[in-house]
Amino acid sequence: PKKLLEPKKPQEKTKFCCMLTNNDRGYRRLAYPHFMKFSIDNGLLTESRGRFLTNMPSIGDNGYNEKSKLAYIKDFKFNLCYDNSGASGWITEKLIHPMYENVIPIYWGATDVAEEFNTDGFVHVRDFESLEHVHNHVLEIFYNKSLFTEIQTQPCFPQNKIPDCAN
């Protein structure tokens, strides 16, 4: 928790985007293949090392070891991290892991995520009219260093305070 509350410093990232998922549940079934096509069409690589849409070798333990997952995602600008469900209150490690490593999450999930997390610090898919609008925003962030830094250095939580429900 301490690292999540420390002021974030800008970090140079060398890779575009990654995803680690072993299933196509929820909105992922539609959105992840669409994002993969978008990145290819724009000459960018989204690495997928889980069992769903795999295009790179496994990280060794299929992402089940949290430390190896964190070590893997730290070099990316973005992490595509949709939760299995969009249900209110359903927020998992998928959002926290990239924040922990100063990677910008591209997140879809709980309708009430803004009650617990600072939505200025990630791409909240629900804020956009379509996947194309999400993708255009990701490209804007990718190519605009100051915008990337602004989003990357946002505190994880509103008022930089861990919500009571997480204590």
Side-chain angles (χ1 to χ4, degrees), residues 18-51:
C18 67
M19 59 186 220
L20 283 166
T21 189
N22 290 322
N23 68 63
D24 63 352
R25 289 190 191 121
Y27 198 41
R28 279 186 227 145
R29 180 174 291 135
L30 166 72
Y32 278 23
H34 201 263
F35 191 89
M36 294 291 274
K37 181 181 181 329
F38 145 77
S39 49
I40 291 167
D41 289 349
N42 284 279
L44 300 166
L45 175 62
T46 297
E47 290 187 17
S48 177
R49 294 180 182 250
R51 289 190 297 250

Side-chain angles (χ1 to χ4, degrees), residues 1-2 4-6 113-118 154-167:
K2 182 180 175 184
L4 290 170
L5 294 173
E6 291 173 357
V113 68
E115 292 177 21
E116 297 178 27
F117 290 91
N118 175 13
Q154 288 288 321
C156 297
F157 308 103
Q159 290 82 48
N160 200 31
K161 180 180 179 281
I162 294 176
D164 291 337
C165 65
N167 282 327

Side-chain angles (χ1 to χ4, degrees), residues 17-147:
C17 187
C18 67
M19 59 186 220
L20 283 166
T21 189
N22 290 322
N23 68 63
D24 63 352
R25 289 190 191 121
Y27 198 41
R28 279 186 227 145
R29 180 174 291 135
L30 166 72
Y32 278 23
H34 201 263
F35 191 89
M36 294 291 274
K37 181 181 181 329
F38 145 77
S39 49
I40 291 167
D41 289 349
N42 284 279
L44 300 166
L45 175 62
T46 297
E47 290 187 17
S48 177
R49 294 180 182 250
R51 289 190 297 250
F52 180 52
L53 297 175
T54 306
N55 64 0
M56 302 295 275
S58 167
I59 61 172
D61 60 9
N62 254 347
Y64 290 114
N65 177 317
E66 304 304 315
K67 288 181 181 179
S68 63
K69 184 178 176 182
L70 291 169
Y72 168 66
I73 68 173
K74 70 181 175 53
D75 295 326
F76 291 88
K77 288 190 175 204
F78 301 96
N79 176 232
L80 198 60
C81 54
Y82 289 24
D83 267 324
N84 291 337
S85 168
S88 179
W90 181 267
I91 303 168
T92 69
E93 82 290 347
K94 290 171 186 68
L95 181 59
I96 297 167
H97 285 162
M99 288 179 162
Y100 187 82
E101 291 297 343
N102 246 9
V103 174
I104 297 175
I106 303 170
Y107 176 78
W108 177 89
T111 56
D112 57 350
V113 68
E115 292 177 21
E116 297 178 27
F117 290 91
N118 175 13
T119 57
D120 292 336
F122 61 94
V123 176
H124 188 200
V125 174
R126 289 185 181 276
D127 289 344
F128 296 87
E129 293 178 20
S130 68
L131 291 175
E132 288 75 21
H133 286 101
V134 172
H135 301 164
N136 289 336
H137 187 59
V138 168
L139 277 181
E140 179 185 11
I141 297 166
F142 180 74
Y143 287 115
N144 183 330
K145 186 173 179 151
S146 63
L147 181 58

